[in-house]
mmCIF file of all heavy atoms in Angstrom:
data_model
loop_
_atom_site.group_PDB
_atom_site.id
_atom_site.type_symbol
_atom_site.label_atom_id
_atom_site.label_comp_id
_atom_site.label_asym_id
_atom_site.label_seq_id
_atom_site.Cartn_x
_atom_site.Cartn_y
_atom_site.Cartn_z
ATOM 1 N N ASP E 1 0.875 -1.169 -0.004
ATOM 2 C CA ASP E 1 -0.038 0.031 -0.008
ATOM 3 C C ASP E 1 0.874 1.230 0.032
ATOM 4 O O ASP E 1 1.311 1.695 1.046
ATOM 5 C CB ASP E 1 -0.930 -0.034 1.238
ATOM 6 C CG ASP E 1 -1.803 1.200 1.336
ATOM 7 O OD1 ASP E 1 -1.788 2.015 0.463
ATOM 8 O OD2 ASP E 1 -2.623 1.228 2.284
ATOM 9 N N HIS E 2 1.220 1.727 -1.204
ATOM 10 C CA HIS E 2 2.093 2.904 -1.279
ATOM 11 C C HIS E 2 1.466 4.183 -0.737
ATOM 12 O O HIS E 2 2.223 5.030 -0.248
ATOM 13 C CB HIS E 2 2.454 3.136 -2.769
ATOM 14 C CG HIS E 2 3.439 2.062 -3.276
ATOM 15 N ND1 HIS E 2 4.702 2.076 -3.115
ATOM 16 C CD2 HIS E 2 3.083 0.945 -3.871
ATOM 17 C CE1 HIS E 2 5.289 0.970 -3.645
ATOM 18 N NE2 HIS E 2 4.289 0.215 -4.148
ATOM 19 N N ASP E 3 0.160 4.262 -0.681
ATOM 20 C CA ASP E 3 -0.460 5.405 -0.023
ATOM 21 C C ASP E 3 -0.113 5.418 1.515
ATOM 22 O O ASP E 3 -0.078 6.560 2.090
ATOM 23 C CB ASP E 3 -2.017 5.337 -0.226
ATOM 24 C CG ASP E 3 -2.423 5.631 -1.663
ATOM 25 O OD1 ASP E 3 -1.630 6.277 -2.376
ATOM 26 O OD2 ASP E 3 -3.504 5.247 -1.974
ATOM 27 N N PHE E 4 0.083 4.227 2.129
ATOM 28 C CA PHE E 4 0.417 4.329 3.459
ATOM 29 C C PHE E 4 1.667 5.051 3.722
ATOM 30 O O PHE E 4 1.770 5.840 4.672
ATOM 31 C CB PHE E 4 0.513 2.810 4.010
ATOM 32 C CG PHE E 4 0.723 2.705 5.449
ATOM 33 C CD1 PHE E 4 -0.281 2.918 6.355
ATOM 34 C CD2 PHE E 4 2.029 2.277 5.993
ATOM 35 C CE1 PHE E 4 -0.090 2.857 7.801
ATOM 36 C CE2 PHE E 4 2.195 2.129 7.379
ATOM 37 C CZ PHE E 4 1.216 2.432 8.235
ATOM 38 N N PHE E 5 2.657 4.923 2.848
ATOM 39 C CA PHE E 5 3.947 5.624 2.964
ATOM 40 C C PHE E 5 3.631 7.131 2.767
ATOM 41 O O PHE E 5 4.099 7.986 3.435
ATOM 42 C CB PHE E 5 5.006 5.128 1.905
ATOM 43 C CG PHE E 5 6.263 5.894 2.099
ATOM 44 C CD1 PHE E 5 7.162 5.433 3.070
ATOM 45 C CD2 PHE E 5 6.658 6.928 1.375
ATOM 46 C CE1 PHE E 5 8.426 6.035 3.255
ATOM 47 C CE2 PHE E 5 7.808 7.627 1.515
ATOM 48 C CZ PHE E 5 8.754 7.141 2.425
ATOM 49 N N GLN E 6 2.972 7.427 1.601
ATOM 50 C CA GLN E 6 2.775 8.865 1.271
ATOM 51 C C GLN E 6 1.969 9.605 2.325
ATOM 52 O O GLN E 6 2.304 10.703 2.575
ATOM 53 C CB GLN E 6 2.015 8.872 -0.065
ATOM 54 C CG GLN E 6 2.774 8.328 -1.242
ATOM 55 C CD GLN E 6 4.033 9.083 -1.569
ATOM 56 O OE1 GLN E 6 4.077 10.281 -1.504
ATOM 57 N NE2 GLN E 6 5.034 8.423 -2.046
ATOM 58 N N GLU E 7 0.979 8.958 2.816
ATOM 59 C CA GLU E 7 0.035 9.707 3.687
ATOM 60 C C GLU E 7 0.363 9.596 5.210
ATOM 61 O O GLU E 7 0.069 10.501 5.926
ATOM 62 C CB GLU E 7 -1.415 9.155 3.504
ATOM 63 C CG GLU E 7 -1.893 9.425 2.061
ATOM 64 C CD GLU E 7 -3.211 8.689 1.853
ATOM 65 O OE1 GLU E 7 -3.751 8.032 2.734
ATOM 66 O OE2 GLU E 7 -3.604 8.716 0.589
ATOM 67 N N ARG E 8 0.958 8.485 5.631
ATOM 68 C CA ARG E 8 1.241 8.336 7.057
ATOM 69 C C ARG E 8 2.693 8.404 7.464
ATOM 70 O O ARG E 8 2.985 8.978 8.523
ATOM 71 C CB ARG E 8 0.705 6.853 7.468
ATOM 72 C CG ARG E 8 -0.792 6.649 7.099
ATOM 73 C CD ARG E 8 -1.751 7.402 8.019
ATOM 74 N NE ARG E 8 -1.895 6.817 9.322
ATOM 75 C CZ ARG E 8 -2.539 5.756 9.655
ATOM 76 N NH1 ARG E 8 -3.212 5.112 8.705
ATOM 77 N NH2 ARG E 8 -2.532 5.402 10.939
ATOM 78 N N ILE E 9 3.560 7.728 6.693
ATOM 79 C CA ILE E 9 4.958 7.669 7.087
ATOM 80 C C ILE E 9 5.797 8.852 6.649
ATOM 81 O O ILE E 9 6.493 9.450 7.477
ATOM 82 C CB ILE E 9 5.605 6.359 6.526
ATOM 83 C CG1 ILE E 9 4.858 5.145 7.038
ATOM 84 C CG2 ILE E 9 7.097 6.246 6.867
ATOM 85 C CD1 ILE E 9 5.303 3.851 6.480
ATOM 86 N N TRP E 10 5.711 9.262 5.364
ATOM 87 C CA TRP E 10 6.437 10.340 4.918
ATOM 88 C C TRP E 10 6.328 11.600 5.666
ATOM 89 O O TRP E 10 7.401 12.251 6.012
ATOM 90 C CB TRP E 10 6.171 10.560 3.384
ATOM 91 C CG TRP E 10 7.139 11.493 2.662
ATOM 92 C CD1 TRP E 10 8.322 12.060 3.197
ATOM 93 C CD2 TRP E 10 7.004 11.863 1.306
ATOM 94 N NE1 TRP E 10 8.944 12.841 2.222
ATOM 95 C CE2 TRP E 10 8.136 12.803 1.014
ATOM 96 C CE3 TRP E 10 6.076 11.747 0.308
ATOM 97 C CZ2 TRP E 10 8.328 13.333 -0.207
ATOM 98 C CZ3 TRP E 10 6.309 12.295 -0.892
ATOM 99 C CH2 TRP E 10 7.373 13.097 -1.131
ATOM 100 N N PRO E 11 5.199 12.000 6.055
ATOM 101 C CA PRO E 11 5.059 13.274 6.828
ATOM 102 C C PRO E 11 5.791 13.218 8.134
ATOM 103 O O PRO E 11 6.425 14.153 8.622
ATOM 104 C CB PRO E 11 3.562 13.474 7.077
ATOM 105 C CG PRO E 11 2.865 12.790 5.984
ATOM 106 C CD PRO E 11 3.857 11.569 5.649
ATOM 107 N N LEU E 12 5.775 12.017 8.780
ATOM 108 C CA LEU E 12 6.426 11.833 10.041
ATOM 109 C C LEU E 12 8.023 11.892 9.857
ATOM 110 O O LEU E 12 8.639 12.478 10.639
ATOM 111 C CB LEU E 12 6.055 10.423 10.755
ATOM 112 C CG LEU E 12 4.651 10.338 11.111
ATOM 113 C CD1 LEU E 12 4.226 8.945 11.411
ATOM 114 C CD2 LEU E 12 4.183 11.271 12.155
ATOM 115 N N LEU E 13 8.449 11.170 8.849
ATOM 116 C CA LEU E 13 9.865 11.196 8.560
ATOM 117 C C LEU E 13 10.345 12.630 8.194
ATOM 118 O O LEU E 13 11.496 13.049 8.758
ATOM 119 C CB LEU E 13 10.206 10.311 7.365
ATOM 120 C CG LEU E 13 9.981 8.771 7.542
ATOM 121 C CD1 LEU E 13 10.070 8.079 6.182
ATOM 122 C CD2 LEU E 13 11.027 8.262 8.558
ATOM 123 N N ALA E 14 9.600 13.322 7.437
ATOM 124 C CA ALA E 14 10.041 14.769 6.996
ATOM 125 C C ALA E 14 10.013 15.691 8.283
ATOM 126 O O ALA E 14 10.762 16.613 8.350
ATOM 127 C CB ALA E 14 9.092 15.232 5.949
ATOM 128 N N ARG E 15 9.078 15.469 9.183
ATOM 129 C CA ARG E 15 9.153 16.283 10.401
ATOM 130 C C ARG E 15 10.349 15.992 11.219
ATOM 131 O O ARG E 15 10.961 16.858 11.830
ATOM 132 C CB ARG E 15 7.878 15.989 11.159
ATOM 133 C CG ARG E 15 7.670 16.933 12.460
ATOM 134 C CD ARG E 15 6.488 16.612 13.259
ATOM 135 N NE ARG E 15 6.833 15.360 13.979
ATOM 136 C CZ ARG E 15 5.906 14.437 14.277
ATOM 137 N NH1 ARG E 15 4.762 14.505 13.745
ATOM 138 N NH2 ARG E 15 6.320 13.312 15.001
ATOM 139 N N ARG E 16 10.665 14.683 11.380
ATOM 140 C CA ARG E 16 11.922 14.226 12.100
ATOM 141 C C ARG E 16 13.186 14.718 11.498
ATOM 142 O O ARG E 16 14.104 15.135 12.111
ATOM 143 C CB ARG E 16 11.892 12.723 12.376
ATOM 144 C CG ARG E 16 13.134 12.159 13.011
ATOM 145 C CD ARG E 16 13.298 12.725 14.395
ATOM 146 N NE ARG E 16 12.311 12.421 15.338
ATOM 147 C CZ ARG E 16 12.229 12.774 16.579
ATOM 148 N NH1 ARG E 16 13.224 13.478 17.061
ATOM 149 N NH2 ARG E 16 11.308 12.383 17.376
ATOM 150 N N VAL E 17 13.274 14.418 10.162
ATOM 151 C CA VAL E 17 14.475 14.770 9.389
ATOM 152 C C VAL E 17 14.022 15.585 8.166
ATOM 153 O O VAL E 17 13.616 15.131 7.159
ATOM 154 C CB VAL E 17 15.165 13.437 8.886
ATOM 155 C CG1 VAL E 17 16.389 13.740 8.072
ATOM 156 C CG2 VAL E 17 15.433 12.522 10.000
ATOM 157 N N PRO E 18 14.101 16.987 8.354
ATOM 158 C CA PRO E 18 13.603 17.840 7.212
ATOM 159 C C PRO E 18 14.082 17.542 5.860
ATOM 160 O O PRO E 18 13.226 17.757 4.956
ATOM 161 C CB PRO E 18 14.004 19.176 7.687
ATOM 162 C CG PRO E 18 14.068 19.085 9.254
ATOM 163 C CD PRO E 18 14.575 17.648 9.476
ATOM 164 N N CYS E 19 15.243 17.107 5.618
ATOM 165 C CA CYS E 19 15.757 16.859 4.301
ATOM 166 C C CYS E 19 15.005 15.679 3.618
ATOM 167 O O CYS E 19 14.932 15.549 2.398
ATOM 168 C CB CYS E 19 17.211 16.652 4.228
ATOM 169 S SG CYS E 19 17.727 15.152 5.115
ATOM 170 N N PHE E 20 14.263 14.851 4.357
ATOM 171 C CA PHE E 20 13.450 13.842 3.789
ATOM 172 C C PHE E 20 12.195 14.365 3.097
ATOM 173 O O PHE E 20 11.507 13.553 2.446
ATOM 174 C CB PHE E 20 13.091 12.787 4.918
ATOM 175 C CG PHE E 20 14.062 11.781 5.222
ATOM 176 C CD1 PHE E 20 13.929 11.011 6.389
ATOM 177 C CD2 PHE E 20 15.265 11.580 4.552
ATOM 178 C CE1 PHE E 20 14.882 10.031 6.751
ATOM 179 C CE2 PHE E 20 16.231 10.688 4.862
ATOM 180 C CZ PHE E 20 16.062 9.988 5.973
ATOM 181 N N GLU E 21 12.010 15.647 3.190
ATOM 182 C CA GLU E 21 10.894 16.168 2.352
ATOM 183 C C GLU E 21 11.082 15.923 0.868
ATOM 184 O O GLU E 21 10.227 15.850 0.142
ATOM 185 C CB GLU E 21 10.738 17.710 2.664
ATOM 186 C CG GLU E 21 10.161 17.986 4.011
ATOM 187 C CD GLU E 21 10.014 19.456 4.275
ATOM 188 O OE1 GLU E 21 10.177 20.298 3.278
ATOM 189 O OE2 GLU E 21 9.717 19.860 5.354
ATOM 190 N N SER E 22 12.401 15.817 0.512
ATOM 191 C CA SER E 22 12.768 15.631 -0.919
ATOM 192 C C SER E 22 13.139 14.191 -1.302
ATOM 193 O O SER E 22 13.636 13.944 -2.369
ATOM 194 C CB SER E 22 13.833 16.614 -1.343
ATOM 195 O OG SER E 22 15.001 16.250 -0.616
ATOM 196 N N LEU E 23 12.801 13.276 -0.352
ATOM 197 C CA LEU E 23 13.183 11.888 -0.695
ATOM 198 C C LEU E 23 12.436 11.367 -1.908
ATOM 199 O O LEU E 23 11.334 11.796 -2.269
ATOM 200 C CB LEU E 23 12.982 11.010 0.539
ATOM 201 C CG LEU E 23 11.565 10.716 1.121
ATOM 202 C CD1 LEU E 23 10.863 9.723 0.271
ATOM 203 C CD2 LEU E 23 11.656 10.245 2.476
ATOM 204 N N ARG E 24 12.951 10.281 -2.547
ATOM 205 C CA ARG E 24 12.238 9.581 -3.652
ATOM 206 C C ARG E 24 12.263 8.109 -3.319
ATOM 207 O O ARG E 24 13.240 7.483 -3.198
ATOM 208 C CB ARG E 24 13.117 9.828 -4.932
ATOM 209 C CG ARG E 24 13.153 11.248 -5.322
ATOM 210 C CD ARG E 24 11.669 11.746 -5.928
ATOM 211 N NE ARG E 24 11.748 13.097 -6.228
ATOM 212 C CZ ARG E 24 11.139 14.109 -5.475
ATOM 213 N NH1 ARG E 24 10.634 13.862 -4.380
ATOM 214 N NH2 ARG E 24 11.204 15.359 -5.883
ATOM 215 N N VAL E 25 11.069 7.616 -3.328
ATOM 216 C CA VAL E 25 10.887 6.182 -2.972
ATOM 217 C C VAL E 25 11.339 5.402 -4.278
ATOM 218 O O VAL E 25 11.147 5.718 -5.340
ATOM 219 C CB VAL E 25 9.387 5.801 -2.764
ATOM 220 C CG1 VAL E 25 9.142 4.363 -2.577
ATOM 221 C CG2 VAL E 25 8.845 6.586 -1.510
ATOM 222 N N ARG E 26 12.167 4.337 -3.835
ATOM 223 C CA ARG E 26 12.769 3.464 -4.988
ATOM 224 C C ARG E 26 12.209 2.092 -5.044
ATOM 225 O O ARG E 26 12.318 1.385 -5.985
ATOM 226 C CB ARG E 26 14.292 3.439 -4.842
ATOM 227 C CG ARG E 26 14.940 4.752 -5.105
ATOM 228 C CD ARG E 26 16.352 4.521 -5.384
ATOM 229 N NE ARG E 26 16.986 5.644 -6.071
ATOM 230 C CZ ARG E 26 18.287 5.779 -6.228
ATOM 231 N NH1 ARG E 26 19.151 4.907 -5.642
ATOM 232 N NH2 ARG E 26 18.721 6.856 -6.840
ATOM 233 N N GLY E 27 11.530 1.710 -3.911
ATOM 234 C CA GLY E 27 10.931 0.337 -3.936
ATOM 235 C C GLY E 27 10.302 0.058 -2.584
ATOM 236 O O GLY E 27 10.346 0.867 -1.656
ATOM 237 N N ALA E 28 9.719 -1.060 -2.534
ATOM 238 C CA ALA E 28 9.032 -1.486 -1.336
ATOM 239 C C ALA E 28 8.735 -2.990 -1.466
ATOM 240 O O ALA E 28 8.697 -3.612 -2.506
ATOM 241 C CB ALA E 28 7.687 -0.676 -1.122
ATOM 242 N N TRP E 29 8.516 -3.550 -0.269
ATOM 243 C CA TRP E 29 8.003 -4.909 -0.215
ATOM 244 C C TRP E 29 7.114 -5.140 1.052
ATOM 245 O O TRP E 29 7.112 -4.296 1.917
ATOM 246 C CB TRP E 29 9.150 -5.913 -0.175
ATOM 247 C CG TRP E 29 9.880 -5.971 1.067
ATOM 248 C CD1 TRP E 29 9.648 -6.811 2.175
ATOM 249 C CD2 TRP E 29 11.175 -5.364 1.359
ATOM 250 N NE1 TRP E 29 10.755 -6.606 3.143
ATOM 251 C CE2 TRP E 29 11.594 -5.752 2.618
ATOM 252 C CE3 TRP E 29 12.037 -4.459 0.665
ATOM 253 C CZ2 TRP E 29 12.803 -5.226 3.274
ATOM 254 C CZ3 TRP E 29 13.185 -3.989 1.182
ATOM 255 C CH2 TRP E 29 13.556 -4.436 2.441
ATOM 256 N N ALA E 30 6.316 -6.118 0.923
ATOM 257 C CA ALA E 30 5.441 -6.507 2.016
ATOM 258 C C ALA E 30 5.861 -7.941 2.574
ATOM 259 O O ALA E 30 6.221 -8.733 1.733
ATOM 260 C CB ALA E 30 3.955 -6.488 1.646
ATOM 261 N N GLY E 31 5.703 -8.178 3.828
ATOM 262 C CA GLY E 31 6.077 -9.480 4.355
ATOM 263 C C GLY E 31 5.416 -9.692 5.696
ATOM 264 O O GLY E 31 4.713 -8.734 6.232
ATOM 265 N N TYR E 32 5.491 -10.812 6.204
ATOM 266 C CA TYR E 32 4.960 -11.159 7.486
ATOM 267 C C TYR E 32 5.803 -10.769 8.639
ATOM 268 O O TYR E 32 7.119 -10.868 8.524
ATOM 269 C CB TYR E 32 4.655 -12.638 7.536
ATOM 270 C CG TYR E 32 3.695 -13.116 6.519
ATOM 271 C CD1 TYR E 32 4.044 -13.915 5.525
ATOM 272 C CD2 TYR E 32 2.340 -12.615 6.568
ATOM 273 C CE1 TYR E 32 3.111 -14.326 4.536
ATOM 274 C CE2 TYR E 32 1.507 -13.047 5.601
ATOM 275 C CZ TYR E 32 1.858 -13.852 4.557
ATOM 276 O OH TYR E 32 0.985 -14.240 3.637
ATOM 277 N N TYR E 33 5.185 -10.306 9.728
ATOM 278 C CA TYR E 33 5.967 -9.983 10.964
ATOM 279 C C TYR E 33 5.756 -11.152 11.898
ATOM 280 O O TYR E 33 4.786 -11.348 12.450
ATOM 281 C CB TYR E 33 5.363 -8.695 11.511
ATOM 282 C CG TYR E 33 6.133 -8.240 12.692
ATOM 283 C CD1 TYR E 33 7.374 -7.624 12.661
ATOM 284 C CD2 TYR E 33 5.701 -8.470 14.087
ATOM 285 C CE1 TYR E 33 8.081 -7.165 13.709
ATOM 286 C CE2 TYR E 33 6.355 -8.016 15.108
ATOM 287 C CZ TYR E 33 7.583 -7.346 14.972
ATOM 288 O OH TYR E 33 8.300 -7.027 16.027
ATOM 289 N N ASP E 34 6.806 -12.021 11.887
ATOM 290 C CA ASP E 34 6.810 -13.154 12.745
ATOM 291 C C ASP E 34 7.156 -12.922 14.165
ATOM 292 O O ASP E 34 8.138 -12.163 14.329
ATOM 293 C CB ASP E 34 7.716 -14.272 12.133
ATOM 294 C CG ASP E 34 7.416 -15.637 12.582
ATOM 295 O OD1 ASP E 34 6.385 -15.885 13.168
ATOM 296 O OD2 ASP E 34 8.333 -16.490 12.457
ATOM 297 N N TYR E 35 6.507 -13.448 15.072
ATOM 298 C CA TYR E 35 6.898 -13.213 16.490
ATOM 299 C C TYR E 35 6.405 -14.362 17.432
ATOM 300 O O TYR E 35 5.549 -15.187 17.011
ATOM 301 C CB TYR E 35 6.379 -11.889 16.973
ATOM 302 C CG TYR E 35 4.960 -11.763 16.941
ATOM 303 C CD1 TYR E 35 4.065 -12.139 17.968
ATOM 304 C CD2 TYR E 35 4.302 -11.140 15.827
ATOM 305 C CE1 TYR E 35 2.754 -11.975 17.889
ATOM 306 C CE2 TYR E 35 2.892 -11.026 15.690
ATOM 307 C CZ TYR E 35 2.152 -11.395 16.784
ATOM 308 O OH TYR E 35 0.752 -11.264 16.750
ATOM 309 N N ASN E 36 6.968 -14.366 18.509
ATOM 310 C CA ASN E 36 6.429 -15.276 19.576
ATOM 311 C C ASN E 36 5.069 -14.903 20.003
ATOM 312 O O ASN E 36 4.842 -13.866 20.662
ATOM 313 C CB ASN E 36 7.453 -15.193 20.742
ATOM 314 C CG ASN E 36 7.013 -15.829 22.059
ATOM 315 O OD1 ASN E 36 5.870 -16.464 22.111
ATOM 316 N ND2 ASN E 36 7.772 -15.809 23.060
ATOM 317 N N THR E 37 4.103 -15.686 19.705
ATOM 318 C CA THR E 37 2.669 -15.316 19.978
ATOM 319 C C THR E 37 2.346 -15.417 21.382
ATOM 320 O O THR E 37 1.312 -14.838 21.783
ATOM 321 C CB THR E 37 1.780 -16.220 19.192
ATOM 322 O OG1 THR E 37 1.982 -17.570 19.539
ATOM 323 C CG2 THR E 37 1.903 -16.057 17.664
ATOM 324 N N PHE E 38 3.072 -15.995 22.246
ATOM 325 C CA PHE E 38 2.758 -16.059 23.750
ATOM 326 C C PHE E 38 2.892 -14.629 24.387
ATOM 327 O O PHE E 38 1.942 -14.233 25.034
ATOM 328 C CB PHE E 38 3.746 -16.940 24.461
ATOM 329 C CG PHE E 38 3.567 -17.105 25.928
ATOM 330 C CD1 PHE E 38 2.383 -17.556 26.466
ATOM 331 C CD2 PHE E 38 4.564 -16.587 26.779
ATOM 332 C CE1 PHE E 38 2.192 -17.586 27.753
ATOM 333 C CE2 PHE E 38 4.315 -16.623 28.125
ATOM 334 C CZ PHE E 38 3.186 -17.117 28.614
ATOM 335 N N ASP E 39 3.958 -13.879 24.080
ATOM 336 C CA ASP E 39 4.135 -12.601 24.600
ATOM 337 C C ASP E 39 4.989 -11.632 23.820
ATOM 338 O O ASP E 39 5.360 -10.552 24.279
ATOM 339 C CB ASP E 39 4.685 -12.654 26.148
ATOM 340 C CG ASP E 39 6.031 -13.277 26.172
ATOM 341 O OD1 ASP E 39 6.670 -13.532 25.136
ATOM 342 O OD2 ASP E 39 6.515 -13.523 27.335
ATOM 343 N N GLN E 40 5.287 -12.054 22.586
ATOM 344 C CA GLN E 40 6.041 -11.192 21.664
ATOM 345 C C GLN E 40 7.514 -10.915 22.281
ATOM 346 O O GLN E 40 8.112 -9.907 21.820
ATOM 347 C CB GLN E 40 5.309 -9.866 21.253
ATOM 348 C CG GLN E 40 4.106 -10.185 20.546
ATOM 349 C CD GLN E 40 3.366 -8.966 20.100
ATOM 350 O OE1 GLN E 40 3.772 -7.813 20.362
ATOM 351 N NE2 GLN E 40 2.195 -9.146 19.487
ATOM 352 N N ASN E 41 8.067 -11.715 23.051
ATOM 353 C CA ASN E 41 9.410 -11.587 23.568
ATOM 354 C C ASN E 41 10.140 -12.849 23.316
ATOM 355 O O ASN E 41 9.648 -13.928 23.021
ATOM 356 C CB ASN E 41 9.495 -11.345 25.090
ATOM 357 C CG ASN E 41 9.305 -9.851 25.488
ATOM 358 O OD1 ASN E 41 10.092 -9.105 24.937
ATOM 359 N ND2 ASN E 41 8.268 -9.566 26.126
ATOM 360 N N GLY E 42 11.461 -12.757 23.212
ATOM 361 C CA GLY E 42 12.309 -13.854 22.975
ATOM 362 C C GLY E 42 12.286 -14.851 24.102
ATOM 363 O O GLY E 42 11.846 -14.569 25.238
ATOM 364 N N VAL E 43 12.666 -16.071 23.789
ATOM 365 C CA VAL E 43 12.874 -17.156 24.761
ATOM 366 C C VAL E 43 14.396 -17.520 24.745
ATOM 367 O O VAL E 43 14.959 -17.788 23.641
ATOM 368 C CB VAL E 43 11.955 -18.406 24.414
ATOM 369 C CG1 VAL E 43 12.281 -19.492 25.388
ATOM 370 C CG2 VAL E 43 10.546 -18.007 24.359
ATOM 371 N N LEU E 44 14.980 -17.451 25.841
ATOM 372 C CA LEU E 44 16.396 -17.682 25.965
ATOM 373 C C LEU E 44 16.752 -18.553 27.096
ATOM 374 O O LEU E 44 16.323 -18.350 28.213
ATOM 375 C CB LEU E 44 17.044 -16.310 26.144
ATOM 376 C CG LEU E 44 18.591 -16.280 26.270
ATOM 377 C CD1 LEU E 44 19.239 -16.515 24.900
ATOM 378 C CD2 LEU E 44 19.046 -14.907 26.789
ATOM 379 N N GLY E 45 17.407 -19.632 26.804
ATOM 380 C CA GLY E 45 17.843 -20.584 27.875
ATOM 381 C C GLY E 45 17.692 -21.980 27.576
ATOM 382 O O GLY E 45 17.336 -22.376 26.405
ATOM 383 N N PRO E 46 18.068 -22.912 28.516
ATOM 384 C CA PRO E 46 18.007 -24.335 28.257
ATOM 385 C C PRO E 46 16.448 -24.816 28.115
ATOM 386 O O PRO E 46 15.654 -24.263 28.798
ATOM 387 C CB PRO E 46 18.606 -24.910 29.546
ATOM 388 C CG PRO E 46 18.553 -23.880 30.604
ATOM 389 C CD PRO E 46 18.542 -22.524 29.817
#
């Protein structure tokens, strides 16, 4: 959804880093955000 970048992300980036007002999008991809469904934290140990 390229509109998500244009309408939601780009204004926030340009506010944080003013030179990003002139950025040019070159590409994008979508993928799954995989995580531990129990509590979204890592499991570490024996």
